[in-house]
Amino acid sequence: MDEIRQCTEALKKALRESDDYKGFAKAKAALEANPELREKVMTFRRRNHEIQNLKEGTDVYTEMEQLEEEYHEIRKNPLISDYLQYELGLCRIMQRINLSLVGTVDLDIGDFKDIIKW
C-alpha cells in the first residue's frame, strides 16, 4: 500500500508541475481578478455540465449547439478562452489517467456494465 501511496503522490506532483496545470492556474488567477467574466464562465461551465448529464432521449447535440451560439462572443475573450482551453487540457489528462487505471484492474462488472456511464 505504501508503494501505491507514493506513486499517487508522485502522480499528483507531476500533474501540479505540468505545463497544463501551470497554465490553468495562471488563467484561473487572471479570471478571478475579473469577477464579471468569471461569473460568465461559471455559468457557461454549469450549463455545459448540465447538458452533458441530460437524460437519454434529449438532443444533446442541439443543446450544445445552442450553448455554443449563446457563448460564442464571450469565448473570443483571451482570458476566457485560455481558461477554458487549459481546463479542457487538464480534463483530458485526468480522463487518460482514469482510463489507464480502470483498464488495469478487472473489477468483474460485466453483468451490469450496461448501467455504468463511462
Side-chain angles (χ1 to χ4, degrees):
M1 189 61 149
D2 284 339
E3 183 180 0
I4 293 172
R5 192 172 294 120
Q6 289 172 352
C7 290
T8 302
E9 290 303 317
L11 178 59
K12 288 167 41 180
K13 183 177 187 272
L15 186 58
R16 285 189 303 267
E17 292 175 356
S18 72
D19 290 340
D20 289 286
Y21 182 76
K22 288 177 183 176
F24 176 76
K26 184 178 175 182
K28 180 180 176 213
L31 195 60
E32 287 174 344
N34 189 326
E36 185 179 316
L37 283 182
R38 184 184 182 284
E39 179 63 30
K40 289 179 181 181
V41 170
M42 294 307 129
T43 301
F44 172 81
R45 291 175 70 223
R46 174 183 287 276
R47 180 91 170 93
N48 186 31
H49 178 76
E50 290 170 348
I51 290 170
Q52 290 181 24
N53 291 286
L54 286 173
K55 293 181 181 176
E56 288 184 36
T58 307
D59 186 359
V60 174
Y61 180 76
T62 301
E63 293 286 333
M64 285 304 291
E65 260 189 352
Q66 183 180 352
L67 179 67
E68 289 297 325
E69 285 176 25
E70 288 175 31
Y71 285 89
H72 179 74
E73 284 303 311
I74 71 161
R75 292 193 68 175
K76 291 180 181 178
N77 181 304
L79 290 178
I80 292 173
S81 179
D82 285 353
Y83 178 87
L84 293 173
Q85 281 303 115
Y86 280 115
E87 179 192 42
L88 179 61
L90 279 177
C91 286
R92 287 186 175 151
I93 289 170
M94 300 298 288
Q95 285 173 332
R96 285 193 307 269
I97 292 169
N98 224 5
L99 285 172
S100 178
L101 291 174
V102 167
T104 302
V105 180
D106 180 6
L107 294 175
D108 194 23
I109 59 173
D111 292 335
F112 54 94
K113 68 180 179 184
D114 60 312
I115 63 170
I116 298 173
K117 291 185 179 182
W118 298 99

